[in-house]
């Protein structure tokens, strides 16, 4: 019998703020809640809860900006995002898709609503995570993993309870496609009403569940839509019961216990490395990308 993983808090969404003019996000961490020490290797969680964007001829989004020292992971639930970066990668993130971009030594990128979606307008729902890189990998070459929904590992739960689509790590022998630099488990879980799910995740891993849709009970505690369940580093077993049809994003990872120096789009280990990133950006070392 595995010991239940104890819940530290069920966190309601912080007030929303705009990122550029295309993303209306609840920043759960590092600024919404001071739980950064409890979420490593996940440094940032921006959750764009469902919002209706009106039709427009000029796509909304975020213009060209740099990143160094970490990875951005964008998960689309509703709506479509077009992405371009200075490493020459581009793509459209459709509902169910995951874009895992390793900024590493540095890229410029831009993120806009895809053109046809912009023209029609409609419901929009996304997650963006910043995943920290270990010190030894911060200056790795940029990399881009476009993971379609169908590429995820798929486990169908017994009794028609729902599905677990594995993005990273593995669940009951089903592997996810994402290559990661530190041990990470990331699952896209879809439960039918009254469906149940049992997870077993290492006690030492920092672990959270974002309720993307529906309402669930997690180890006996109610977790409504748009809430983030943060676990203690105690116990391993998570039992979920869906009160209605629900979508969950399960995040779990081995903490990176290294110093953090964060400034804007740079996530390094020391202030000197941040200064170097600013200098390198200023002298064009992140490449070229047209707005
Ligand atoms: Mn970005």
């Amino acid at each position: 019998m595995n010991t239940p993983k104890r819940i530290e808090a069920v966190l309601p969404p912080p007030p929303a703020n705009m990122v550029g003019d295309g993303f209306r996000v609840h920043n759960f961490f590092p600024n919404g809640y001071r739980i950064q020490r409890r979420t490593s290797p996940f440094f940032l969680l921006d959750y764009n809860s469902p919002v209706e964007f009106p039709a427009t001829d000029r796509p909304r989004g975020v213009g060209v900006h740099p990143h160094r020292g970490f990875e951005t992971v964008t998960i689309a639930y509703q709506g479509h995002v077009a992405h371009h970066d200075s490493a020459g990668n581009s793509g459209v993130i459709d509902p169910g898709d995951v874009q895992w971009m390793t900024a590493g030594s540095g890229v410029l990128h831009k993120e806009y609503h895809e053109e046809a979606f912009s023209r029609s307008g409609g419901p929009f729902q996304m997650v963006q995570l910043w995943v920290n890189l270990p010190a030894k990998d911060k200056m790795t070459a940029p990399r881009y993993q476009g993971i379609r929904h169908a590429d995820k590992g798929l486990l169908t739960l017994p009794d028609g309870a729902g599905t677990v689509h594995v993005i990273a790590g593995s669940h009951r022998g089903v592997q996810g496609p994402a290559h990661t630099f530190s041990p990470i488990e990331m699952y896209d879980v879809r439960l039918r009403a009254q469906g149940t799910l049992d997870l077993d995740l290492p006690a030492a891993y920092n672990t959270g569940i974002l309720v993307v849709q529906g309402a669930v009970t997690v180890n006996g505690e109610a977790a409504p839509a748009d809430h983030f369940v943060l676990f203690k580093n105690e116990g391993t077993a998570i039992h979920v019961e869906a009160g209605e049809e629900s979508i969950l994003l399960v995040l779990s990872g081995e903490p990176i216990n290294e110093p953090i120096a964060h400034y804007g789009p740079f996530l390094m280990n020391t202030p000197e490395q941040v200064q170097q990133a600013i200098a390198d950006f200023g002298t064009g070392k992140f490449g070229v990308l047209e707005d």
Side-chain angles (χ1 to χ4, degrees):
M1 184 77 187
N2 296 328
T3 316
K5 195 179 270 298
R6 292 184 58 205
I7 292 174
E8 179 154 325
V10 179
L11 302 168
N17 62 279
M18 291 303 293
V19 177
D21 63 358
F23 303 87
R24 180 184 171 276
V25 305
H26 308 278
N27 177 258
F28 277 93
F29 52 86
N31 295 320
Y33 294 100
R34 302 284 164 171
I35 54 172
Q36 180 198 312
R37 202 175 46 79
R38 306 292 339 289
T39 64
S40 171
F42 310 102
F43 178 77
L44 174 148
L45 170 58
D46 270 349
Y47 173 49
N48 189 135
S49 61
V51 63
E52 188 86 13
F53 279 103
T56 176
D57 289 333
R58 220 187 48 137
R60 300 178 177 86
V62 188
V64 175
H65 60 278
H67 289 301
R68 173 181 281 180
F70 64 101
E71 302 180 288
T72 62
V73 178
T74 306
I75 305 169
Y77 291 97
Q78 300 186 73
H80 307 260
V81 170
H83 168 267
H84 297 82
D85 73 35
S86 56
N89 299 301
S90 65
V92 174
I93 311 164
D94 295 320
D97 294 350
V98 178
Q99 185 224 54
W100 199 299
M101 185 192 79
T102 307
S105 60
V107 293
L108 306 176
H109 78 160
K110 57 182 179 180
E111 302 152 282
Y112 282 99
H113 294 188
E114 182 265 338
E115 253 176 60
F117 173 75
S118 297
R119 278 197 301 274
S120 65
F124 190 81
Q125 186 181 20
M126 299 271 156
V127 164
Q128 188 169 87
L129 288 158
W130 289 12
V131 177
N132 200 2
L133 287 169
K136 66 177 174 52
D137 297 315
K138 280 200 178 288
M139 296 298 280
T140 191
R143 184 171 74 184
Y144 180 96
Q145 300 176 74
I147 300 169
R148 294 292 178 193
H149 187 59
D151 301 333
K152 297 171 185 168
L154 171 59
L155 181 89
T156 302
L157 297 169
D159 307 323
T163 54
V164 177
H165 283 87
V166 181
I167 300 166
S170 69
H171 177 62
R172 298 188 192 278
V174 176
Q175 297 277 330
H179 298 279
T180 67
F181 287 84
S182 64
I184 287 173
E185 304 291 325
M186 190 180 296
Y187 313 144
D188 168 11
V189 176
R190 318 236 163 185
L191 294 175
R192 304 224 170 84
Q194 276 69 61
T196 65
L197 169 73
D198 286 288
L199 298 171
D200 193 53
L201 295 162
Y205 280 22
N206 288 331
T207 300
I209 295 178
L210 179 67
V211 183
V212 173
Q213 183 190 305
V216 295
T217 303
V218 182
N219 287 358
E221 286 199 37
D226 303 340
H227 283 53
F228 184 76
V229 182
L230 177 68
F231 294 88
K232 293 180 184 291
N233 296 103
E234 295 175 30
T236 63
I238 297 174
H239 179 71
V240 180
E241 297 174 15
E244 55 190 86
E245 193 175 321
S246 297
I247 299 176
L248 309 174
L249 177 63
V250 176
L251 305 172
S252 187
E254 186 178 272
I256 298 172
N257 291 317
E258 294 173 345
I260 282 179
H262 170 230
Y263 177 76
F266 308 122
L267 184 56
M268 308 303 293
N269 298 115
T270 69
E272 292 73 23
Q273 291 168 344
V274 167
Q275 288 306 318
Q276 189 62 52
I278 294 167
D280 289 349
F281 173 56
T283 53
K285 293 218 173 76
F286 284 59
V288 178
L289 184 65
E290 281 185 22
D291 213 341

